[in-house]
Amino acid sequence: MNRLYPVGIQNFEDLRSRGYIYVDKTSLLYNLVQTGKYYFLSRPRRFGKSLMISTLEAYFLGKRELFKGLAMESLEKDWAVHPVLHMDLNTEKYDTEASLENKLELTLKQWEAEYGHNPDEYSVATRFEGVIRRAAKQTGQKVVILIDEYDKPMLQAITNSDLQTKFRNTLKAFYGALKSCDGSIHFAMLTGVTKFSKVSVFSDLNNLRDISMVNQYAEICGISDVELHQYFDEDIHALAEKVGVDYAKACELLKENYDGYHFCYSSVGMYNPFSLLSTFANMQIGSYWFETGTPTYLVELMKLHHYPVEEIEHIVTSGPVLDSIDAASTDPVPVIYQSGYLTIKDYNAEFENYTLGFPNREVEQGFLRFLLPHYASVSVSKSPYEIQCFVGEVRKGDVDGFLSRLQTFFDDTPYELARDREVHYQNILYIVFKLMGFHTEVEYRTSRGRVDLVLKTSDYIYVMEFKLNGTAEEALQQIEEKGYASAFAADSRKVIKVGINFSDKTRSIERWIVA
């Protein structure tokens, strides 16, 4: 098959002119343009936001030939040409106040080269206003403003409150130009990964419509199951043959690894487009989304607030919490959700609460793999091998072997990572056992109390109790006295009871006893 997959291609004109596969979203875009003026859309990275912005740019520039065979070709009759001001904030590393100012300065100079400059416009905000008004006056058409990844500076400074405040003040003034120039604007759209509640584009620009959690536009980015079979059915057959499975199993693998994103409680599941296209281009299942970027800011946020990792799998929260991020908040959940590492699993209409969870296997495994070296004393390069050895030891029932290896994960844990010792130790244990693919339950509930950790394999059930600055004997004694193992008496697997003591002094496992 001589098919071209647009992996990483974010320019609509390039994609269409070179014959790449395009999943037609233009009917949704047409509806967007016809029914409103100011929009905001939040979606995870590599989900097609930049391509959507590029498609809108081509449409407003009147490039009708690029839409041949698409829904837009028959829907649009006028094809009016508008001046387009397109800014992509994703192309800079924002680690100083000057980095944002330089990016805005460069963009404004490019626009001013085309539409002129007034020396009395001294700030980035007044210069932006001036460009908008002059572009409308010179062309006789109102202006289209497209801002991609508006939140990149804010996200990169999420753990630096001083720098984030400076970025917020700069952006507050800059985006304020949209409201002051309303009469000169035909259409405006901003995209980003997250929605910061204190940025003026949301607090001052109150006519901006947020479509991030609107069912009507749930499919505007990403690939639905219907689209998967409409555009890629022959690719699924080819993938099945390549990996040695039947068609149904290939569909199951794709769904398990890349599907499951829900952007509102009643929406269809969406596939990650980057991972899906990469799978077909390479004809193999892989962790493509995680290989293109690491969520460092998420780890920093979780460690900063000592967030218990195991809670990620069963979060229940409200719509307002998911909808925006307060830079002063200590809750990392909205950032984790909006960044695409969690998605909506269920909705309780009575209490208006959302249940969150990992969307698919790629995200769950990738996220936990990335977390491990940031919490444990194991390098990124050695982490896969250590997990492989660990799995073998747990499966064989080699308790001393896997606990000795686990001990090295805790060794030399930096003080700043282990200030809340119990949460930190529990995080490492949870991450390691989940990565091994075993059924893991932290604080397993029985009729007689809560077991610190229960680990199940095909042959064994490990019942583990931990003590901090106590003794391994005390931990094992608690298992015996509380009768924790009796909960598994009817199970045919062998039950192994393990008492473990952590030392505050060594910041590692001090001793364990097996029974």
Side-chain angles (χ1 to χ4, degrees):
M1 299 183 299
N2 190 25
R3 285 163 64 79
L4 298 175
Y5 307 99
V7 179
I9 295 178
Q10 301 171 10
N11 183 278
F12 180 71
E13 183 168 0
D14 188 38
L15 184 150
R16 293 290 290 168
S17 60
R18 294 174 61 184
Y20 284 93
I21 299 166
Y22 176 70
V23 177
D24 190 0
K25 304 286 186 180
T26 59
S27 63
L28 283 172
L29 295 181
Y30 179 78
N31 189 70
L32 201 70
V33 172
Q34 296 301 312
T35 58
K37 181 173 178 178
Y38 295 99
Y39 291 99
F40 169 74
L41 176 70
S42 167
R43 284 292 183 269
R45 62 183 177 84
R46 295 286 188 175
F47 228 86
K49 299 188 299 296
S50 296
L51 177 59
M52 180 193 69
I53 289 291
S54 179
T55 306
L56 284 169
E57 181 176 27
Y59 165 71
F60 283 117
L61 290 175
K63 296 184 178 182
R64 185 173 186 171
E65 70 282 0
L66 298 177
F67 293 85
K68 186 174 178 60
L70 301 180
M72 186 72 83
E73 183 184 32
S74 58
L75 290 170
E76 181 57 68
K77 306 301 179 188
D78 299 332
W79 293 96
V81 178
H82 293 268
V84 176
L85 301 179
H86 180 185
M87 180 171 71
D88 183 0
L89 285 176
N90 196 40
T91 57
E92 181 64 69
K93 181 180 180 182
Y94 301 99
D95 51 5
T96 64
E97 188 177 4
S99 59
L100 176 58
E101 292 173 352
N102 292 339
K103 173 63 180 178
L104 297 179
E105 178 72 23
L106 177 62
T107 304
L108 285 166
K109 281 183 175 179
Q110 292 170 341
W111 291 340
E112 288 167 342
E114 187 169 358
Y115 298 111
H117 171 61
N118 183 341
D120 293 331
E121 298 163 357
Y122 58 91
S123 68
V124 291
T126 54
R127 288 169 65 188
F128 189 22
E129 285 182 39
V131 167
I132 294 171
R133 297 184 198 282
R134 283 191 297 276
K137 187 175 181 179
Q138 290 172 22
T139 62
Q141 290 281 0
K142 290 186 177 182
V143 178
V144 169
I145 298 170
L146 305 172
I147 299 178
D148 200 11
E149 305 291 358
Y150 92 97
D151 57 340
K152 183 75 177 287
M154 300 288 290
L155 262 182
Q156 291 198 340
I158 200 163
T159 57
N160 184 338
S161 58
D162 290 340
L163 185 58
Q164 195 174 70
T165 298
K166 290 173 181 176
F167 284 162
R168 184 165 58 243
N169 291 338
T170 299
L171 292 172
K172 178 172 181 157
F174 187 77
Y175 293 135
L178 273 69
K179 193 166 187 177
S180 62
C181 295
D182 180 62
S184 301
I185 297 173
H186 174 69
F187 180 89
M189 186 159 197
L190 292 85
T191 72
V193 170
T194 51
K195 179 180 174 182
F196 284 92
S197 59
K198 287 191 175 181
V199 177
S200 68
V201 71
F202 301 113
S203 58
D204 293 346
L205 194 60
N206 51 19
N207 54 348
L208 190 75
R209 184 186 177 195
D210 182 2
I211 58 171
S212 306
M213 296 179 73
V214 174
N215 199 1
Q216 181 185 4
Y217 296 109
E219 299 179 46
I220 200 165
C221 289
I223 296 173
S224 69
D225 201 59
V226 170
E227 290 168 333
L228 171 66
H229 293 283
Q230 179 184 347
Y231 290 91
F232 301 102
D233 214 49
E234 59 183 296
D235 303 286
I236 301 173
H237 281 285
L239 177 69
E241 185 178 344
K242 187 72 175 178
V243 300
V245 298
D246 60 22
Y247 175 82
K249 181 61 178 177
C251 291
E252 184 184 321
L253 286 171
L254 293 172
K255 182 174 283 292
E256 179 184 281
N257 281 279
Y258 310 126
D259 191 17
Y261 291 89
H262 294 269
F263 300 110
C264 58
Y265 69 89
S266 57
S267 66
V268 300
M270 298 299 290
Y271 288 80
N272 183 314
F274 182 81
S275 293
L276 205 56
L277 292 169
S278 297
T279 296
F280 293 137
N282 298 330
M283 280 296 150
Q284 64 184 47
I285 303 290
S287 296
Y288 299 106
W289 190 57
F290 263 88
E291 290 170 3
T292 62
T294 51
T296 308
Y297 62 87
L298 290 180
V299 180
E300 291 173 353
L301 206 60
M302 290 173 70
K303 289 191 299 189
L304 184 68
H305 303 300
H306 306 293
Y307 192 80
V309 178
E310 75 273 5
E311 289 188 9
I312 285 179
E313 284 197 281
H314 43 79
I315 292 170
V316 178
T317 190
S318 66
V321 171
L322 296 183
D323 191 43
S324 64
I325 293 166
D326 184 337
S329 173
T330 59
D331 186 1
V333 169
V335 186
I336 299 172
Y337 164 74
Q338 291 185 22
S339 299
Y341 302 99
L342 293 174
T343 195
I344 296 168
K345 291 289 189 179
D346 198 11
Y347 178 71
N348 186 310
E350 180 183 358
F351 297 101
E352 299 182 341
N353 282 336
Y354 293 89
T355 299
L356 307 181
F358 290 116
N360 51 51
R361 178 176 171 79
E362 180 193 23
V363 173
E364 179 180 15
Q365 289 291 297
F367 191 58
L368 294 173
R369 275 194 214 104
F370 182 73
L371 285 181
L372 183 59
H374 290 270
Y375 281 87
S377 180
V378 56
S379 68
V380 175
S381 60
K382 290 183 179 179
S383 180
Y385 175 72
E386 292 289 343
I387 293 296
Q388 178 186 329
C389 294
F390 210 97
V391 170
E393 290 157 352
V394 173
R395 283 176 177 164
K396 289 186 298 184
D398 181 3
V399 183
D400 289 337
F402 82 72
L403 282 176
S404 294
R405 193 173 302 280
L406 186 64
Q407 192 173 38
T408 66
F409 284 16
F410 289 94
D411 286 347
D412 302 319
T413 301
Y415 277 110
E416 64 271 15
L417 295 191
R419 280 175 292 180
D420 188 339
R421 301 283 198 275
E422 292 187 57
V423 171
H424 180 71
Y425 294 149
Q426 204 170 56
N427 280 344
I428 295 178
L429 289 165
Y430 178 80
I431 293 167
V432 169
F433 290 132
K434 285 296 288 187
L435 279 175
M436 293 191 303
F438 297 129
H439 179 74
T440 307
E441 291 187 46
V442 176
E443 295 195 347
Y444 182 93
R445 295 184 181 185
T446 73
S447 59
R448 301 186 181 187
R450 292 184 179 185
V451 188
D452 281 342
L453 191 140
V454 172
L455 176 65
K456 298 177 182 178
T457 73
S458 57
D459 298 313
Y460 301 99
I461 296 176
Y462 296 91
V463 178
M464 301 183 184
E465 190 67 28
F466 310 111
K467 292 296 177 185
L468 179 61
N469 299 324
T471 66
E473 286 82 0
E474 289 172 351
L476 189 61
Q477 185 180 352
Q478 184 171 331
I479 295 174
E480 300 290 3
E481 289 180 352
K482 297 278 189 179
Y484 290 153
S486 62
F488 310 103
D491 201 295
S492 60
R493 288 172 286 189
K494 182 180 178 181
V495 177
I496 299 177
K497 294 169 282 189
V498 187
I500 302 174
N501 183 57
F502 290 99
S503 167
D504 219 4
K505 185 177 181 181
T506 63
R507 307 196 299 283
S508 185
I509 296 175
E510 179 260 335
R511 188 165 174 263
W512 62 83
I513 298 178
V514 182

